[in-house]
Amino acid sequence: MRKWWKAALLCCMVLPLTACGFHGMSSWKWLEVVDDLAGALGAAQITADEELLGERIRHDDGYVGSYTAQCQDSTGKDVVFGGASIEPRRIQVYGQILTDRGRAAVRIRMNDEVMVLETDGEGRFEAEIHLGSGGNYIMVDYEDFSGTVRLNSIRLPLDWDGKDALAFNR
């Protein structure tokens, strides 16, 4: 929670100082600035690399990459990917949980909604997720877990059938 307050305080201090520079800005540029600001605030919720139970490699943005954890009697939560944005995203999350003991679960939080990804008999999971604007996070919860977690998240092209909320002309 301490990270969140630092980011909010920084935004409250910087925004009034830069507001004069926003005059005459196009609406698309405004959306980009707001999205960047939301991204900075949302990034504060992601577990820092040095605090992760596993190892993360990020790709295009904070929503995609790979994560691997080999645990021994671990309890905790790693918020691995995600952030806050006004831009919609479509991602595929997949991987495998190999459990020796305890429990590990992959959860997707999309604003107020939380989805736990179910595993098959071999510990594999896969889901295609449509992320709207707001805070969206991919996390792994551990409870006295011994075993291995492999998690991947890739970005898919948006479906342009009218269901995606917003597109940027960048």
Side-chain angles (χ1 to χ4, degrees):
M1 192 65 170
R2 200 169 75 212
K3 293 179 200 174
W4 174 257
W5 285 107
K6 287 180 184 178
L9 180 62
L10 178 65
C11 290
C12 289
M13 291 171 38
V14 172
L15 193 57
L17 296 174
T18 60
C20 294
F22 295 150
H23 182 65
M25 189 181 292
S26 74
S27 57
W28 289 113
K29 187 65 177 169
W30 261 108
L31 286 174
E32 190 174 319
V33 168
V34 170
D35 191 52
D36 289 346
L37 182 60
L41 290 172
Q45 301 300 309
I46 304 295
T47 305
D49 288 341
E50 62 274 5
E51 295 175 9
L52 288 171
L53 295 173
E55 291 187 38
R56 166 182 51 215
I57 298 172
R58 292 185 205 190
H59 297 291
D60 301 338
D61 60 19
Y63 295 82
V64 297
S66 60
Y67 169 84
T68 303
Q70 295 188 0
C71 300
Q72 188 66 38
D73 297 322
S74 297
T75 297
K77 174 176 71 174
D78 279 350
V79 182
V80 182
F81 300 115
S85 177
I86 60 172
E87 182 180 358
R89 287 172 172 79
R90 184 174 150 233
I91 61 172
Q92 181 178 19
V93 178
Y94 64 95
Q96 187 174 25
I97 300 173
L98 300 171
T99 304
D100 294 330
R101 199 162 42 102
R103 183 189 73 78
V106 175
R107 294 186 315 132
I108 312 291
R109 190 181 90 197
M110 299 171 285
N111 295 314
D112 292 335
E113 181 183 341
V114 177
M115 172 190 338
V116 177
L117 300 186
E118 299 294 326
T119 58
D120 66 12
E122 295 177 352
R124 297 183 199 284
F125 58 87
E126 182 175 355
E128 183 178 309
I129 313 292
H130 291 259
L131 304 174
S133 63
N136 299 287
Y137 300 93
I138 302 168
M139 57 196 86
V140 182
D141 288 335
Y142 299 97
E143 187 177 311
D144 297 321
F145 178 74
S146 294
T148 303
V149 174
R150 291 186 191 95
L151 168 70
N152 296 287
S153 175
I154 60 173
R155 194 164 181 171
L156 302 172
L158 288 173
D159 293 332
W160 296 112
D161 60 1
K163 294 181 183 174
D164 291 314
L166 177 64
F168 281 63
N169 287 333
R170 293 182 181 175

